[in-house]
Amino acid sequence: KVDLSLETSWKDGYFNFENAELTTIMTEIARWYDVDIHYKNRITEQFNILMLPRNLSVSKLLELLELTGHVRFIIEGRRITVMT
């Protein structure tokens, strides 16, 4: 079975990460916001995040990810450092 909402959410203006590794999420964020991602330590977390609007600022999106309690970010210009 294919979840159409997962496959088409991008065209509706949403990020949709279902059972996604943090590295996958950060790769998509890097592409969308044109930022560089650096990892302070090895990342193994998986997230189940559904329907985050793509029109959020990168800082607001990262703030929402931090609310999970599994990850923290440092933003320095276009560089985002990911920490667990």
Side-chain angles (χ1 to χ4, degrees):
K1 268 186 161 180
V2 174
D3 182 353
L4 289 180
S5 67
L6 180 62
E7 299 301 322
T8 61
S9 60
W10 64 270
K11 75 171 186 58
D12 295 327
Y14 292 94
F15 291 110
N16 191 340
F17 302 112
E18 189 171 336
N19 296 318
E21 292 183 6
L22 183 58
T23 53
T24 302
I25 294 170
M26 296 311 297
T27 298
E28 183 69 20
I29 288 171
R31 287 183 189 140
W32 185 256
Y33 293 101
D34 190 27
V35 294
D36 297 317
I37 307 297
H38 298 272
Y39 298 92
K40 188 159 184 163
N41 36 9
R42 190 165 181 260
I43 307 293
T44 59
E45 297 292 334
Q46 281 200 283
F47 291 80
N48 198 16
I49 301 167
L50 303 174
M51 300 301 184
L52 290 174
R54 287 182 180 260
N55 64 356
L56 291 175
S57 68
V58 68
S59 59
K60 185 62 175 176
L61 181 67
L62 296 177
E63 182 181 315
L64 291 172
L65 289 174
E66 284 183 337
L67 290 175
T68 66
H70 296 289
V71 65
R72 290 184 317 131
F73 303 97
I74 296 174
I75 303 172
E76 299 169 312
R78 290 187 53 249
R79 179 185 174 125
I80 297 171
T81 303
V82 183
M83 301 174 293
T84 56

